[in-house]
Amino acid sequence: MTLAVQHGALSDIGLHRKTNEDSYVVEPPLFAVCDGMGGAQAGEVASSMAATTLATAVADGRPLAEAAAAANTAVYEHAAGSDERAGMGTTLTAFVLEADRARFAHIGDSRAYLLRGGELRQLSDDHSLVAEMVRDGRLTAEEAAVHPHRSILSRALGTEPRASIDAFVVDLLPDDVVLLCSDGLSGVVPEDGIRKMLGRPDPRDAAQRLIREARKQGGPDNITAVVVRFSAAAAEPPRDEPETTSVAPGADEVTAELPPVVDGTDATAGLADRSETAESRTSSAPSAAGVATLARDHRRGLVALVVVLVVLVAVAAAGAVVLSTVFFIGVDDGRLAVFSGLPVELGPIKLHAVYRRSSRAYASLSVTERTTVDARGLRGKAEVMSLSDSLGMWP
Ligand code: CA
């Protein structure tokens, strides 16, 4: 039996990143998600290069595994061309529909899920350090979900001359739904939420809701969802099926193509563009009338002022205690350093200070070591010093 597909795909920058390093491919029968990594735009380049190379190779009739290997070579060779690009890489989770089977290629921590009969199943294994610790029984899934190093990959595309890419085949049934997504979605929206939204009959609606939910949960990372719903081929495809989207790495472009679903009060979440978001924020500011009422009641105003001052002093005291007891490893002027405090900058105010400087340059770190440093995970003093030892910071 040959299955027909309907699909919806979206990528969103999220609420905290300056760039979108995710890319996706929707060129039936090929679907893919790539989540790039590496500083100075290297992540964006890696994911879009992998997506483009994969799509071109599959369009040329090459088997998926071969196309994924070609994508690895393309990224690896590009990265080898310059020091700045050293360490660039990407995840890749892709499938090609072959009649009623999906043939997958997968590396990294983007995910493939299958919704069948109302149940959600994760098809891919995460290639991350914490996922491996879970598989070895050294960590529970709950611990892994909040682990500070959950973004460190154990395998990625483009970081080695030959990548070890998982290959598997899934037999599909009518009404199955497959989701490919980056960790900005799977790491943020609980599986039960994914299950519910994936059950929406229109895959474009499902993709929009998934993105909106990830933003509602804080949108800490780029968010990408490719939703594919399968049906028996005899059914007429819906007339309003959109044109097939080719490789589309940019969120803006996609947002323009698929305007936000506006339902109820949820105007700032989802895919509203920046000007709309700004308007909503302005309109939700406290009204002038409310402020005036407070000013009229002097006594109440005075009490409120004292309460605010007491709270501020308490927060500052607690903050000072926290800042002096937590540490992380970061980079100061190109060299590694142990910092005390939180890896946070509020404009010109930094919530950390150099605790101890190392002479080891960040540029001399291996890819794995860089990922560890880039995570800027918080640690106690003993733990941070032992990590700094293992990074060779004190020769
Ligand atoms: Ca990501």
Side-chain angles (χ1 to χ4, degrees), residues 17 22 35-36 109 182-184 221-222:
R17 294 286 167 93
D22 290 357
D35 173 358
D109 68 350
S182 60
D183 66 336
D221 195 0
N222 307 142

Side-chain angles (χ1 to χ4, degrees), residues 97 100-104 114 116 121 123 168-173 176 178:
L97 180 66
D100 59 353
R101 305 191 326 160
R103 179 177 301 280
F104 283 84
L114 172 68
R116 173 177 294 170
R121 182 153 64 96
L123 299 172
F168 52 93
V169 171
V170 174
D171 291 319
L172 297 165
L173 298 172
D176 279 353
V178 168

Side-chain angles (χ1 to χ4, degrees), residues 225-262:
V226 173
V227 180
V228 187
R229 178 178 274 275
F230 302 92
S231 55
E236 277 280 300
R239 290 266 166 105
D240 62 344
E241 182 70 4
E243 283 290 300
T244 299
T245 321
S246 60
V247 179
D252 292 344
E253 182 188 333
V254 180
T255 303
E257 179 194 323
L258 292 173
V261 174
V262 178

